Amino acid sequence: MMDNYNTAYIGGSGEYIEKKSRFIGEVFPIESEEEALQYIEEVKKRYWDARHHCFAYVLNGEQVIERFSDDGEPSGTAGKPILDVIKGDKLKNVLVVVTRYFGGTLLGTGGLVRAYTSAAREGMNHSTIISKILGVKLRIGTDYTGLGKIQYLLGQKSIPIIDTTYTEEVFITVVVSLEEEKVITHEIIEATNAKSTIEKVEECWFASIGKEIKLFEK
């Protein structure tokens, strides 16, 4: 499994019109193939009178899974272009469905590829895309003398504090990437002359969304 990847935090939808054919691109965050198939069926029911429901999805697990469907369009003109948009943005755990209402004019191979690519891109443009990072939650204990030094060090590295508990000592909880763990641990111990404790609480996925850090189970 990758240590970080881009994904959709909130899916969105957009449209593209080509010679009166209407293409609706919708993006969905997914965690399994079952969830992907469920969303595909929901789209088909919602746009029951549409000609085609083409899709592609990529799942990030022990092995990366990629699936796509042209749903009756000429081979290679729909599902693969949608998949190329997902892969071009290096996205995982994402499903994109593009629904087509036929406008009466044949678009040709090039026109179809352009239309499905554009519709998928419009869906992406209306979605919230984030970078999920595999990290570790650290609980740092220090006396009040070391507090300022640790806060300064964390600020210099743009590591956000997600919780602070004040007792006879101060306990600060932060989340850092696995790559940063050893370095930040060493620097905190050095900055406080080894008068701090650092407990590895748990591994977790996290992402920066706006000015906030959100934790994920996976």
Side-chain angles (χ1 to χ4, degrees), residues 16-23 51-52 73-74 77 98 100-118:
Y16 178 79
I17 306 295
E18 178 78 13
K19 295 181 180 178
K20 298 184 179 180
S21 276
R22 180 187 177 204
F23 296 83
R51 179 72 66 90
H52 303 282
E73 293 282 31
T77 63
V98 177
R100 180 189 183 186
Y101 281 94
F102 184 57
T105 302
L106 296 176
L107 302 182
T109 300
L112 287 172
V113 171
R114 180 174 60 253
Y116 279 100
T117 299
S118 298

Side-chain angles (χ1 to χ4, degrees), residues 149-216:
K149 297 176 182 178
I150 293 174
Q151 289 175 328
Y152 176 79
L153 178 61
L154 296 176
Q156 287 292 102
K157 292 184 172 295
S158 299
I159 297 174
I161 296 172
I162 59 177
D163 185 54
T164 305
T165 302
Y166 297 93
T167 58
E168 292 182 358
E169 290 184 287
V170 183
F171 293 94
I172 302 169
T173 303
V174 299
V175 61
V176 299
S177 69
L178 294 181
E179 294 178 351
E180 294 177 300
E181 180 190 357
K182 288 184 179 179
V183 173
I184 194 65
T185 297
H186 172 76
E187 291 186 357
I188 289 173
I189 291 174
E190 187 175 53
T192 59
N193 296 317
K195 294 181 180 179
S196 58
T197 61
I198 302 176
E199 176 190 359
K200 182 177 177 179
V201 180
E202 62 180 351
E203 287 191 0
C204 62
W205 289 94
F206 70 97
S208 176
I209 303 174
K211 295 182 178 180
E212 297 184 356
I213 295 296
K214 183 169 178 61
L215 305 181
F216 300 88

